[in-house]
Amino acid sequence: MSHPVENLKTTYNLLALDSKTADFLGKFYVRREATEMRELLTSIQIKHQPTRILFAGHRGSGKTSELRYLKSMLEQEPTLVIFVSTIEDLNLANVHYTEILLAVVDNVIDLLYDIGVTLDGTLIKRAEKLLAQLAGDLVVESTSSSSHGYGLSAFFKVIGANIRRDFDTREVLRNNVTTIISDILEVTNELISSAQEQTNKQILIIVDDLEKVTSRKQITEIFEGFSLVINKLDCHFVLTLPTSVIHSTETRQIRIDYCKTVMLPLFAIKKPDGTDNETEIQEMEIIANKRIIGNSIPPDVLRQAALYSGGLIQDFLRLLEGACLKAITNGKYKLSHDLLDESFAELSNEYKVSIEARQIPLLKKIHETKSADMDDDVKQLLFSLALLEYIDRDSRGVWYDLHPAVVKAFEPIW
Amino acid sequence: MTTFPLNKYLVGTSSMMSELILLLKIAKHGFAICTYSDQKVFNFQTSKLKEYGLENKVLVKEKKYEGKEEDLIEYLEAEKNNFSEKIKEKFQKWATNYERLAFSISGLEEKLESNDVGRLNVLRDYFLSFEYFVIIWIPDTYLKDIPAKAPDFWRIRSKVFQFDRSERHNELGLGLLADSPHDAQQCFERAIYRNKENPILCNNKGLSLLKQEKYDEALDSFERAVKLNPKSVRFLNNYAVNRCLLKQHNKSIPLFRSGVKIDSNDPALLLNYGLALMKLGRFRTAISNFNKVLSIEPKNRFAMLNLSKAYFQTGKFHRAMDVLEKLLGENPDYADAMTLSGATHTKLGNFSHAETLLNRAVALAPSDIEAIYNKAILHHKMKKPDLALNEFDKVLSQDPTHADALREKKKITRKIKK
């Protein structure tokens, strides 16, 4: 049996584990009971026509984990899943929808290569011509194009590097893409159709991490631009976006352009009447228990951490990580309430700095009424996670409350 | 005699810097954001980081960000490779001094000034995938901007430490606590002046006062710490021990009880509670406390010693012997256990065994009054009054008020006279 301190150290590292790690799904993922996730899966499984879904949720609510699970489930069916991470693929902060389109095409070509699809000679020629037009005056080192057309992939890698290099190159590429966008879409559709015909599988493209890139305004612009493109591509799409954007009036038309909006609900650890919601607390505990070694975190402390997190899985794990660190520093073998409270006090300070003094009366009002009018302040609070949106599992009604760390910070002064 | 030696029973408080260092040691990778209130704090904390890093075999490389993240990433990658090469080659100095590498980066606030905050998220993802720990220093004047403009960078998957002058004084105080408790007290007072609502600082001030044996003054500090955080087992424990040091064992009991209600598995708390109960003659509950400690830490030698003491004092000598044999089996040179074992053998009439043990105990700790006193008792039982008197004199030369020695000596002298 390992020493309790070693258990605590391992627990710390498992709590900090990224959902993108290779063995995450097999070892640590816990399937969410939320109906929304089952609906998302079913809507892709049953629909033959391309479907476009907006997948919304608070940052840190577990969207990426759910999408990785969705990918693994669909790959067992006749579906090819392409996962595009805006940050990993583009390495860009100020992203434009044309660059997302290029990243999508790049990933489609990679998929064709991986599954060994043979491309028609005419299609390769058309694609190469298109790429030459796309490059325009940019100096792109020539890449040997193979007879299967996989030289296209190398070309895209060079373009990707150019996008990352400097602002001027990005501007040129954006303009070039906009000019020949209908040709790009046509060729991409032919590439998709080659893959679908030869494998007899449908294609789903998941675009993740968009909300991590820019401000709310820029996200709106991306979705506006991309909605024009997405409707012309013959495959399924799932795009992630933050809850605060869903409520924006500017995005109402965009939401209509997409077939469906699926909200990944937070764990509603409290009911609107303030009583504890045992089912959801237990679900959170199960997630943490997969990562806890030995008895380093007592059940009552785990439960309290779930309540302090407001149902936000990322904060739940961070609170426990912080308390683990304090326990080891203090020579303890397991977590206790006072260590968790210290960790919670730190979290509360982190939230405190994101609130402006003029917003305090609004916080009080929301906390008392459990409702919010979607003005700019409220959207900002949603964006910074000071305000959380909950969906009641039975009535499907939406209600709002402050993050418990915000309540701790401001309740004494309002 | 039951005592409360400070270093063993008080529960200290870690500083933010010690948590950060621990993070560098145990976290496989990741990043921490450290905010600082002014340049003095930054200089102090970064030098501490390097110093503690070296003590913990972590090489902390400092780098000021100079405007291009590509340059920063290239630098990190190059230093990473350099480190792995040196470790692979096992240069003598490297192999003994360093096991891990960490980076301390400052100047990233330029991104916020240039309104290119989104790039912080890109760097964040790079830091998260980088195989060594990265610490980012940002002046706290940017605290308003970061959560609003780069919320992912600020809070998602990063650990935040907020260093200010109060924390600097706390850190300085902790460094002085062992050798110069008076100076440490002044540091904690300065820290409290800047942050009156921090119970850790009050607790630390209490600790520095106890080290100076200013038990009455310490009470106020611990009381304040407990008031500010009534759920802290550490503060309750220290407050209760303070009461015990003032011989107010009765007043310590409610504090220990509150602590146990919060955490019934805290070994230090249970041990101290047990000692206080022994002082009040409540041996049964004390025994149950020591047994609980041993169920959590089966090799806790202090719990074993006090458990056997409790058995000894309630006349359960065979039980005491069982525990002591186990204790001495695992700690053959534990003088206190040897003394108690000698005393128990004396009670059981195994004089030769007792003599061997007590002689060894005195050899290990020649000035230990308990061992000499028990040797005197043994001589008395073995009907060697002259030797016994000689040992009692040794005890009384060290502690002329030792009540038991005075009483026993009087008895023997009277007998000899008769």
Side-chain angles (χ1 to χ4, degrees):
Chain A
M1 203 171 70
S2 317
H3 190 275
V5 173
E6 289 310 313
N7 284 345
L8 210 49
K9 286 181 185 173
T10 315
T11 301
Y12 174 85
N13 274 305
L14 290 178
L15 290 169
L17 194 77
D18 191 353
S19 61
K20 290 173 185 167
T21 4
D23 54 358
F24 176 82
L25 275 183
K27 287 186 183 167
F28 305 106
Y29 174 77
V30 177
R31 193 178 168 191
R32 292 277 291 267
E33 290 304 316
T35 330
E36 292 79 357
M37 289 316 299
R38 290 198 294 273
E39 281 176 10
L40 177 62
L41 182 65
T42 317
S43 59
I44 294 166
Q45 283 169 327
I46 60 167
K47 207 152 182 187
H48 296 300
Q49 291 306 308
T51 179
R52 286 101 194 173
I53 297 168
L54 289 177
F55 184 46
H58 288 284
R59 53 163 58 76
S61 60
K63 289 193 294 297
T64 301
S65 304
E66 292 307 319
L67 289 175
R68 301 245 158 208
Y69 174 71
L70 182 79
K71 179 175 187 281
S72 73
M73 290 304 288
L74 287 168
E75 278 172 347
Q76 294 167 22
E77 315 241 342
T79 308
L80 298 166
V81 184
I82 296 172
F83 210 99
V84 181
S85 161
T86 321
I87 284 200
E88 281 169 20
D89 287 285
L90 291 169
N91 189 21
L92 269 179
N94 182 12
V95 78
H96 190 252
Y97 78 91
T98 50
E99 286 145 3
I100 302 174
L101 174 64
L102 290 182
V104 165
V105 180
D106 183 19
N107 277 280
V108 168
I109 293 171
D110 276 353
L111 177 79
L112 298 177
Y113 176 77
D114 289 344
I115 58 175
V117 170
T118 314
L119 295 179
D120 174 64
T122 333
L123 178 58
I124 296 171
K125 273 186 190 160
R126 279 184 61 203
E128 281 175 348
K129 193 178 156 198
L130 205 58
L131 291 174
Q133 275 178 276
L134 198 57
D137 296 333
L138 292 174
V139 182
V140 177
E141 285 175 34
S142 64
T143 51
S144 62
S145 113
S146 74
S147 58
H148 293 293
Y150 300 132
L152 297 177
S153 173
F155 180 90
F156 263 100
K157 299 288 176 278
V158 177
I159 287 198
N162 273 313
I163 290 174
R164 282 188 283 273
R165 194 162 294 151
D166 60 70
F167 181 75
D168 290 341
T169 312
R170 269 167 23 209
E171 279 297 292
V172 173
L173 269 170
R174 283 175 190 177
N175 286 335
N176 291 353
V177 172
T178 319
T179 321
I180 54 167
I181 198 154
S182 52
D183 294 334
I184 295 176
L185 293 171
E186 202 177 303
V187 167
T188 310
N189 273 337
E190 285 187 42
L191 294 171
I192 288 170
S193 128
S194 302
Q196 286 177 341
E197 275 167 23
Q198 288 182 40
T199 59
N200 210 18
K201 290 180 176 180
Q202 58 176 349
I203 289 182
L204 163 69
I205 298 175
I206 298 172
V207 184
D208 192 20
D209 288 339
L210 269 174
E211 78 273 24
K212 288 175 189 161
V213 178
T214 50
S215 67
R216 272 193 297 137
K217 186 170 168 267
Q218 284 167 320
I219 295 170
T220 311
E221 283 168 11
I222 291 170
F223 279 90
E224 223 163 36
F226 206 60
S227 67
L228 302 172
V229 167
I230 209 168
N231 280 330
K232 292 179 180 138
L233 285 172
D234 298 333
C235 59
H236 299 296
F237 265 95
V238 173
L239 283 89
T240 59
L241 84 166
T243 305
S244 52
V245 176
I246 277 285
H247 294 295
S248 165
T249 42
E250 303 94 65
T251 55
R252 189 173 296 147
Q253 183 53 46
I254 303 170
R255 292 203 306 277
I256 295 167
D257 292 341
Y258 290 81
C259 304
K260 191 176 170 63
T261 302
V262 176
M263 259 310 271
L264 177 65
L266 286 177
F267 291 98
I269 37 100
K270 292 261 181 195
K271 293 177 185 165
D273 63 8
T275 54
D276 293 352
N277 188 339
E278 295 305 330
T279 323
E280 307 253 331
I281 293 172
Q282 276 168 20
E283 263 196 68
M284 290 190 89
E285 288 171 346
I286 293 169
I287 293 175
N289 275 325
K290 283 234 170 191
R291 305 175 189 216
I292 297 169
I293 308 293
N295 55 354
S296 42
I297 306 182
D300 52 334
V301 176
L302 192 62
R303 178 192 165 82
Q304 188 60 54
L307 290 169
Y308 281 164
S309 73
L312 204 58
I313 200 73
Q314 193 69 54
D315 278 351
F316 177 50
L317 298 175
R318 277 182 94 225
L319 277 167
L320 294 171
E321 278 171 43
C324 278
L325 207 57
K326 289 179 191 303
I328 305 167
T329 323
N330 284 292
K332 299 216 169 190
Y333 300 154
K334 57 167 75 171
L335 263 59
S336 56
H337 281 282
D338 60 322
L339 296 170
L340 178 69
D341 283 354
E342 276 183 36
S343 185
F344 182 52
E346 287 173 2
L347 187 75
S348 178
N349 282 338
E350 288 172 27
Y351 274 99
K352 202 174 177 177
V353 297
S354 66
I355 308 288
E356 291 173 38
R358 61 176 180 80
Q359 292 173 319
I360 296 174
L362 175 64
L363 297 179
K364 186 177 183 235
K365 191 181 157 205
I366 295 172
H367 188 52
E368 283 169 358
T369 60
K370 311 290 178 210
S371 64
D373 301 326
M374 278 304 144
D375 58 18
D376 275 351
D377 267 342
V378 168
K379 277 184 253 172
Q380 176 57 38
L381 291 172
L382 275 172
F383 191 66
S384 66
L385 301 177
L387 175 62
L388 302 172
E389 181 182 282
Y390 297 101
I391 299 172
D392 188 84
R393 215 179 257 190
D394 303 322
S395 68
R396 315 288 285 170
V398 174
W399 59 282
Y400 297 86
D401 203 354
L402 303 180
H403 192 298
V406 176
V407 178
K408 180 185 165 59
F410 293 101
E411 203 171 32
I413 56 169
W414 66 40
Chain B
M1 196 166 67
T2 312
T3 52
F4 287 84
L6 293 180
N7 292 336
K8 278 180 187 164
Y9 298 111
L10 289 169
V11 184
T13 308
S14 58
S15 65
M16 274 204 271
M17 184 50 76
S18 56
E19 279 181 33
L20 180 57
I21 291 292
L22 177 73
L23 197 60
L24 300 187
K25 280 175 71 179
I26 66 164
K28 290 194 174 146
H29 55 83
F31 77 103
I33 300 173
C34 298
T35 65
Y36 57 93
S37 55
D38 55 65
Q39 198 59 32
K40 206 170 170 183
V41 168
F42 172 75
N43 294 344
F44 175 80
Q45 298 293 3
T46 45
S47 68
K48 279 277 161 206
L49 178 65
K50 281 197 111 166
E51 180 192 322
Y52 287 1
L54 183 58
E55 281 170 20
N56 289 281
K57 299 195 170 195
V58 182
L59 172 64
V60 181
K61 287 281 212 179
E62 282 174 10
K63 166 87 179 162
K64 176 134 178 41
Y65 174 73
E66 276 155 2
K68 275 192 175 176
E69 60 261 34
E70 291 83 357
D71 295 345
L72 180 64
I73 290 170
E74 267 174 35
Y75 164 81
L76 293 173
E77 291 293 336
E79 287 295 332
K80 176 185 92 180
N81 296 336
N82 193 13
F83 182 81
S84 348
E85 280 308 308
K86 286 199 172 170
I87 286 292
K88 256 188 241 159
E89 288 167 20
K90 288 200 175 161
F91 286 141
Q92 196 55 38
K93 189 184 157 205
W94 280 78
T96 48
N97 285 354
Y98 304 117
E99 285 169 1
R100 306 201 72 179
L101 175 66
F103 291 93
S104 170
I105 313 283
S106 57
L108 270 179
E109 61 275 12
E110 279 185 23
K111 282 282 160 211
L112 290 157
E113 277 177 347
S114 67
N115 215 14
D116 193 13
V117 283
R119 302 292 298 169
L120 288 176
N121 280 341
V122 177
L123 280 169
R124 162 196 170 275
D125 267 53
Y126 172 76
F127 295 149
L128 283 174
S129 62
F130 190 59
E131 61 194 278
Y132 292 103
F133 207 88
V134 180
I135 300 153
I136 298 142
W137 294 91
I138 292 182
D140 64 11
T141 40
Y142 288 88
L143 276 182
K144 278 277 167 211
D145 285 344
I146 307 175
K149 293 181 181 170
D152 297 296
F153 175 73
W154 173 239
R155 282 197 41 258
I156 307 285
R157 304 187 55 72
S158 62
K159 174 93 183 101
V160 178
F161 295 91
Q162 297 182 12
F163 290 102
D164 56 13
R165 287 201 181 183
S166 158
E167 186 57 28
R168 177 172 161 262
H169 288 306
N170 182 33
E171 182 70 44
L172 281 168
L174 287 170
L176 292 165
L177 194 57
D179 301 323
S180 320
H182 178 69
D183 295 336
Q185 180 197 333
Q186 290 186 331
C187 288
F188 295 134
E189 279 167 359
R190 277 189 210 119
I192 292 169
Y193 174 73
R194 288 180 183 279
N195 189 354
K196 292 181 180 60
E197 300 300 310
N198 186 337
I200 293 171
L201 302 175
C202 300
N203 174 70
N204 290 356
K205 183 184 166 190
L207 290 177
S208 66
L209 287 163
L210 288 194
K211 293 254 177 196
Q212 298 171 72
E213 299 185 4
K214 294 178 180 171
Y215 302 140
D216 282 316
E217 283 181 51
L219 275 182
D220 284 346
S221 296
F222 290 125
E223 192 180 356
R224 173 103 181 119
V226 168
K227 199 175 169 190
L228 288 167
N229 185 358
K231 283 204 263 173
S232 169
V233 174
R234 286 170 294 164
F235 304 157
L236 283 165
N237 173 74
N238 291 349
Y239 190 16
V241 170
N242 191 174
R243 288 280 182 204
C244 292
L245 288 165
L246 284 164
K247 314 246 180 277
Q248 300 169 350
H249 297 95
N250 266 326
K251 287 189 175 174
S252 78
I253 300 300
L255 296 167
F256 282 126
R257 245 188 238 141
S258 305
V260 170
K261 260 189 201 167
I262 295 165
D263 186 355
S264 58
N265 290 307
D266 188 303
L269 183 79
L270 290 167
L271 248 173
N272 291 338
Y273 189 11
L275 292 176
L277 288 164
M278 283 233 284
K279 272 283 179 190
L280 293 167
R282 290 158 65 179
F283 294 105
R284 223 168 66 183
T285 328
I287 287 171
S288 133
N289 270 20
F290 297 137
N291 275 324
K292 182 87 193 272
V293 175
L294 289 170
S295 71
I296 302 161
E297 294 178 346
K299 292 192 176 181
N300 187 319
R301 62 184 207 163
F302 208 75
M304 285 165 106
L305 181 73
N306 282 293
L307 177 62
S308 47
K309 264 187 198 171
Y311 282 140
F312 181 91
Q313 293 194 4
T314 47
K316 293 168 181 162
F317 302 119
H318 287 288
R319 281 200 183 177
M321 217 49 251
D322 290 345
V323 180
L324 285 164
E325 272 171 17
K326 199 179 163 203
L327 177 59
L328 282 166
E330 284 165 6
N331 306 276
D333 293 327
Y334 191 5
D336 288 351
M338 230 171 266
T339 303
L340 188 59
S341 185
T344 315
H345 275 298
T346 306
K347 287 279 184 193
L348 290 168
N350 306 328
F351 297 143
S352 66
H353 256 86
E355 195 168 16
T356 316
L357 285 160
L358 289 169
N359 282 339
R360 274 193 64 201
V362 173
L364 283 166
S367 57
D368 180 26
I369 292 186
E370 285 297 296
I372 305 168
Y373 172 79
N374 279 298
K375 219 175 147 185
I377 296 288
L378 173 69
H379 288 313
H380 178 46
K381 292 270 179 199
M382 289 168 82
K383 314 235 183 279
K384 296 175 182 172
D386 293 343
L387 289 177
L389 282 176
N390 189 25
E391 299 296 341
F392 281 132
D393 285 340
K394 283 185 198 168
V395 173
L396 292 168
S397 70
Q398 280 192 60
D399 179 7
T401 61
H402 197 292
D404 293 341
L406 283 169
R407 192 184 58 243
E408 293 299 322
K409 188 183 170 185
K410 210 172 174 182
K411 265 197 224 166
I412 297 172
T413 321
R414 208 177 292 150
K415 261 189 189 175
I416 293 173
K417 275 186 185 167
K418 270 186 186 172

